[in-house]
Amino acid sequence: AVTSDELLAYCLGKPGAEPDEPWEGDVVAKVGGKIFAFLGDGLTVKCGRDADEAAELRWRYPDSVSVSPYIGRHGWNRIRLDGTIPDDELRELVDASYDAVVAKLPKSRRPV
């Protein structure tokens, strides 16, 4: 199963991505100043436009995916890296979260 460090490296390989540590011990990946992935104790990513879209992943993986505290209503899920979700799908979830965040950035802050 993919590790948190491997996922962080994958996140930081995206155009314009940079690491940050807004809270001690919590590493995040940002693009254009906006977070697209929280790493550390699992993976937290945007999984849809809202909580309803994000719920689909929770229905498929009820033991590994939960609503993210504070931002779950905006479509963010916390994912346990326990090997339940295939590595390819985890990368696709990172890709979708990154794309969703980039799409909302002003053109001047989007990576080229």
Side-chain angles (χ1 to χ4, degrees), residues 49-70:
R49 287 174 294 194
D50 55 34
D52 291 340
E53 282 188 15
E56 193 269 333
L57 192 68
R58 296 193 303 272
W59 291 327
R60 286 176 45 221
Y61 301 108
D63 296 331
S64 299
V65 181
S66 57
V67 176
S68 178
Y70 311 111

Side-chain angles (χ1 to χ4, degrees), residues 68-81:
S68 178
Y70 311 111
I71 54 176
R73 68 184 180 281
H74 301 294
W76 290 79
N77 283 332
R78 175 178 280 163
I79 300 161
R80 286 179 46 211
L81 301 178

Side-chain angles (χ1 to χ4, degrees), residues 34-105:
K34 297 285 187 185
I35 296 171
F36 69 92
F38 295 81
L39 296 114
D41 181 25
L43 169 70
T44 300
V45 287
K46 189 158 177 61
C47 294
R49 287 174 294 194
D50 55 34
D52 291 340
E53 282 188 15
E56 193 269 333
L57 192 68
R58 296 193 303 272
W59 291 327
R60 286 176 45 221
Y61 301 108
D63 296 331
S64 299
V65 181
S66 57
V67 176
S68 178
Y70 311 111
I71 54 176
R73 68 184 180 281
H74 301 294
W76 290 79
N77 283 332
R78 175 178 280 163
I79 300 161
R80 286 179 46 211
L81 301 178
D82 58 8
T84 301
I85 301 176
D87 294 354
D88 288 350
E89 188 166 355
L90 289 170
R91 288 186 194 95
E92 287 170 13
L93 290 167
V94 168
D95 293 347
S97 185
Y98 172 86
D99 291 345
V101 171
V102 167
K104 288 194 165 190
L105 290 173

